[in-house]
Amino acid sequence: VLAAMRRHGIAPRSGCRRGGCSLCKADVVSGTVTHEVGAAATALTAEEVADGVCLPCRAHALTDCKIRLRGPARRIFTATPPRTATPA
């Protein structure tokens, strides 16, 4: 999700880019994301995940989703899952 944000000119706060610092922490407003590669338990707790919090540096969109950045801007970003090519 973080890479997609940057491709669209959005530069959220981020530090380690590997799920350890929690600077990029954001809220999933709608849709579903997964953290295929884990994050440090101190950066994102199971309770936060259950409450719809994600780390964009580790999150992958499973469905079309809206992510609200934290901080002064509180901007909402729409992420979509990668599209797979259909055979001809």
Side-chain angles (χ1 to χ4, degrees):
V1 172
L2 182 62
M5 289 177 173
R6 291 194 169 156
R7 281 193 303 272
H8 286 87
I10 300 170
R13 293 184 329 151
S14 63
C16 70
R17 292 184 225 136
R18 57 180 172 75
C21 70
S22 77
L23 282 176
C24 66
K25 198 176 280 187
D27 302 298
V28 179
V29 176
S30 65
T32 306
V33 301
T34 185
H35 295 87
E36 292 175 3
V37 177
T42 55
L44 186 67
T45 66
E47 293 82 18
E48 287 175 312
V49 171
D51 288 341
V53 179
C54 74
L55 294 177
C57 69
R58 287 294 191 208
H60 294 271
L62 293 178
T63 64
D64 290 350
C65 58
K66 294 187 184 296
I67 309 290
R68 180 184 302 118
L69 301 177
R70 293 183 174 187
R74 296 188 56 85
R75 185 173 185 175
I76 293 179
F77 176 76
T78 301
T80 58
R83 306 288 184 222
T84 56
T86 54

